[in-house]
Amino acid sequence: SAIASLPVFSAFTIILDFPEMSASELNRAITFQARQYIPLPLSEVALDWIRVGEFKDDSGFKHQQILLISVTQEQIRKYQNIFKEAGLSLGALEIEGLSLARIFGGADPTPTIVVDIGSRSTSAVFLEDGRLKFVSQSDFAGASLTQALASSLSVNPLRAEELKKEKGVSAAGPNYELSTIMMPFLDAIINETKQAHYKYKEQFPGARGVERVILSGGGANLIGAEKYFEKALALPIAKADPFSRFE
């Protein structure tokens, strides 16, 4: 038996606002709203949702904030086929944001941004009281840094990847010139994280202030990344330790 996580770019997510209502009414309301936002017929997608917040408006009426998740049936069939060929039974799929929340949230209530830098995309996952509240995705990621080195130095991508891992980024010293090639793309990831943080505060004005950032994904292993992010975001930075709670 197996459970798999879907990368953020394979799913569509949006925060929706509803007045307080029964579960059956909420299901109908979510389906109605989904038709307005999802650019495909609902017959071609799988829908799920989780409650991520609540607040009272100026008139005292309670509202609930729902994270709507949509994945195409085609994508689901693709994963089912992969696991079938591997001799495994796929029990469930979830978006990576929920996986990251379970690893780095759980019993830890600290308001946190998990910046997960993969090869193809970077996701900013916002946690409060150990639970997922908001997720954002950027196309700037590890491969952007590799491609920048390959183009600037006229080397093949494999050599560029080796240089990236060996040298990392530094504000001074012998590797500074190499670092300047990658810095604009790291800055792009940081700026997208800042924009996501701004949207998060707009969506959840009552949320507690973010107290830390966790860097995860392959990009978190870039030498010097923690210091670079800490200076730019003015928040404590920790590198992910995903196996810390395993026994």
Side-chain angles (χ1 to χ4, degrees), residues 27-46:
N27 270 320
R28 288 195 295 271
I30 287 172
T31 302
F32 177 77
Q33 287 272 39
R35 290 192 179 96
Q36 301 179 48
Y37 293 104
I38 296 171
L40 289 171
L42 294 192
S43 59
E44 295 181 19
V45 299

Side-chain angles (χ1 to χ4, degrees), residues 130-151:
R131 294 178 299 168
L132 173 69
K133 286 184 74 76
F134 182 73
V135 61
S136 178
Q137 184 248 330
S138 166
D139 290 332
F140 293 103
S144 308
L145 307 181
T146 304
Q147 187 57 49
L149 286 176
S151 300

Side-chain angles (χ1 to χ4, degrees), residues 70-233:
S70 166
V71 180
T72 66
Q73 297 288 1
E74 180 184 1
Q75 188 77 357
I76 291 170
R77 285 193 293 271
K78 174 185 168 184
Y79 272 74
Q80 286 172 331
N81 289 335
I82 290 170
F83 279 76
K84 185 179 178 182
E85 289 294 317
L88 298 168
S89 173
L90 183 62
L93 286 167
E94 65 179 4
I95 60 170
E96 276 180 345
L98 286 166
S99 310
L100 291 166
R102 189 177 306 108
I103 296 168
F104 303 119
D108 189 337
T110 310
T112 300
I113 310 174
V114 181
V115 180
D116 187 58
I117 308 171
S119 173
R120 178 174 161 182
S121 73
T122 296
S123 57
V125 178
F126 291 76
L127 311 179
E128 187 178 76
D129 294 326
R131 294 178 299 168
L132 173 69
K133 286 184 74 76
F134 182 73
V135 61
S136 178
Q137 184 248 330
S138 166
D139 290 332
F140 293 103
S144 308
L145 307 181
T146 304
Q147 187 57 49
L149 286 176
S151 300
S152 298
L153 303 176
S154 299
V155 297
N156 68 52
L158 287 175
R159 178 58 183 149
E161 184 72 16
E162 288 174 2
L163 285 170
K164 182 179 77 173
K165 290 177 178 178
E166 287 171 12
K167 307 299 183 183
V169 286
S170 58
N175 296 325
Y176 176 69
E177 193 170 335
L178 195 70
S179 298
T180 59
I181 298 170
M182 294 186 283
M183 282 176 178
F185 295 91
L186 277 180
D187 291 339
I189 292 172
I190 288 165
N191 287 334
E192 297 261 332
T193 302
K194 288 178 177 178
Q195 286 181 22
H197 191 192
Y198 178 77
K199 288 179 188 174
Y200 172 69
K201 289 190 288 188
E202 267 194 331
Q203 293 271 7
F204 301 94
R208 288 150 54 204
V210 170
E211 295 179 15
R212 68 176 176 188
V213 174
I214 294 176
L215 291 183
S216 73
N221 295 318
L222 185 71
I223 298 168
E226 291 168 69
K227 287 183 179 178
Y228 197 83
F229 272 75
E230 191 164 48
K231 184 178 179 182
L233 295 175

Side-chain angles (χ1 to χ4, degrees), residues 53-73:
E54 59 182 26
F55 67 94
K56 284 186 179 179
D57 61 24
D58 295 338
S59 303
F61 290 106
K62 283 185 72 176
H63 292 250
Q64 49 192 328
Q65 291 161 296
I66 301 297
L67 175 64
L68 177 67
I69 303 163
S70 166
V71 180
T72 66
Q73 297 288 1

